[in-house]
Amino acid sequence: MELLLAGFVGVLVASGVYLMLRARTFDLVLGLTLVSYAVNLFIFLMGRLAVGRPPILDARLAPTLANYADPLPQALVLTAIVISFAMTALLLVIALATYAETGTDHVDGQEPRAPEDRG
């Protein structure tokens, strides 16, 4: 199961990087969103997969630390979700303002010229 989830994180990162290298602002925003999802999943997976275990230590379970789920990755992911939502909203506002100013969604602000027009 861990190998499957690690592969999924890799696919998300690869897709996000590919989209971030595109020349359109919407692709950039979508790529950053996919990379933030991959980072959230990576942080969550670093806390070990523990199903049905309590996240808080009990005095009776204290000698065996393997009987609880680590709450720190869950708290980090929750914070990262809020930050990535704010980052995506800010990037969308910047992309829309840039599109309104330049009339194009190309990251350079100019459409690339066709090969026959370059001469």
Side-chain angles (χ1 to χ4, degrees):
M1 184 68 174
E2 288 87 2
L3 187 61
L4 179 68
L5 290 171
F8 185 63
V9 169
V11 168
L12 279 175
V13 169
S15 301
V17 168
Y18 173 76
L19 285 172
M20 285 192 302
L21 294 176
R22 307 286 296 167
R24 302 286 177 192
T25 55
F26 180 73
D27 295 339
L28 176 70
V29 171
L30 194 60
L32 283 171
T33 303
L34 286 179
V35 169
S36 70
Y37 289 160
V39 169
N40 289 344
L41 189 58
F42 178 73
I43 292 171
F44 192 67
L45 291 176
M46 289 299 101
R48 294 187 314 260
L49 295 175
V51 179
R53 293 186 181 156
I56 299 173
L57 281 175
D58 189 7
R60 296 169 290 161
L61 299 176
T64 59
L65 293 178
N67 289 334
Y68 79 100
D70 191 9
L72 182 63
Q74 297 172 17
L76 290 174
V77 167
L78 184 62
T79 305
I81 288 170
V82 173
I83 292 170
S84 66
F85 178 73
M87 177 198 67
T88 303
L90 178 68
L91 285 174
L92 283 175
V93 168
I94 291 172
L96 286 173
T98 304
Y99 179 74
E101 184 73 26
T102 62
T104 181
D105 67 338
H106 198 272
V107 293
D108 292 336
Q110 304 173 8
E111 290 292 332
R113 294 187 307 179
E116 59 270 2
D117 295 338
R118 292 183 187 166

